[in-house]
Amino acid sequence: MTDEHHPDPGLATRLERVRADVSAAALTAGRQPDEITTIVVTKFHPASLVAQLAALGVHDIGENRHQEARAKAAELADLEVTWHFIGQLQGKKARQVRAYAGAIHSIDRPSLVDALASDESELDAFVQVNLTDDPGRGGVAPAELEALVEHVVSSPGLRLRGLMAVAPLGEPARPAFARVRGFSERIRRIAPDAGALSMGMSHDYSDAILEGATHLRIGTAITGNRPA
Ligand SMILES: *Cc1c(COP(=O)(O)O)cnc(C)c1O
């Protein structure tokens, strides 16, 4: 049995290794390691793993399924962590996600922006760009990016931070991340402060850092394999 008082030694080792790799890649890119936020993705893992991560100094947790995220956030309400929602989201669940999440990385359509808008509180927002031709992969098509960004910027309660992307399968990640950097330049004509880039996962975070990632979403490289 492991819990926050008896952490899994493998977890601490993997976390340290990733932190060292992130710092090394940042220095290679001529960047400061502290400009990069590592979000640890804990989907399918129990709340106890999140508690162990928090005890190891992790402050940013990523989840991609609302029911699961909501349950963990409720169980761990006294932990000082920010919950990042990174999965596809139904509009009717949007208000519920606002209740626990500090950031949403998967804004992909105008109706979701409308569902997330609020006069009561601010939520950090990332617009997800689809780097494939398959709409099922999530994210807005690049041709519709500016219109969606304008919609976010003109909606109350959403603080646009930047863009999110997942590297396509079956092609090198670095050129894909370079395309996202180009999209970022495009949207900053509309939203000059929205320069954040949420990109880079377990297998490609070093490439993402070289292309300017500010928010990494790393699961298995830190947590180990997800339970079936
Ligand atoms: C699961 C997931 C990740 C983390 O993936 P790993 O390969 O385990 O690092 C990152 N981003 C999104 C959107 C995910 O769903």
Side-chain angles (χ1 to χ4, degrees), residues 3-5 7 15 19 49-58 79 81:
D3 59 31
E4 68 271 38
H5 306 296
L15 179 64
R19 282 174 169 159
L49 184 89
V50 179
Q52 289 181 58
L53 287 164
L56 293 167
V58 171
L79 283 189
V81 299

Side-chain angles (χ1 to χ4, degrees), residues 41 43 64 86-87 128 164 166 200-203 217-221 223 226:
V41 178
K43 62 191 184 200
N64 73 338
I86 63 173
Q128 182 178 355
M164 182 274 233
V166 177
M201 303 170 33
S202 289
H203 296 292
R217 307 179 313 273
I218 302 181
T220 49
T223 63
R226 287 184 270 275

Side-chain angles (χ1 to χ4, degrees), residues 1 8 14 22 37 43 75 85 88 96-97 103 115 122 124 134 138 142 160 168 188 214 218:
M1 172 78 206
D8 167 10
R14 289 187 299 268
V22 168
T37 300
K43 62 191 184 200
E75 186 174 340
F85 193 81
Q88 292 186 30
Q96 295 176 31
V97 168
E122 291 277 316
D124 277 1
D134 174 3
L160 183 67
R188 270 181 287 161
T214 59
I218 302 181

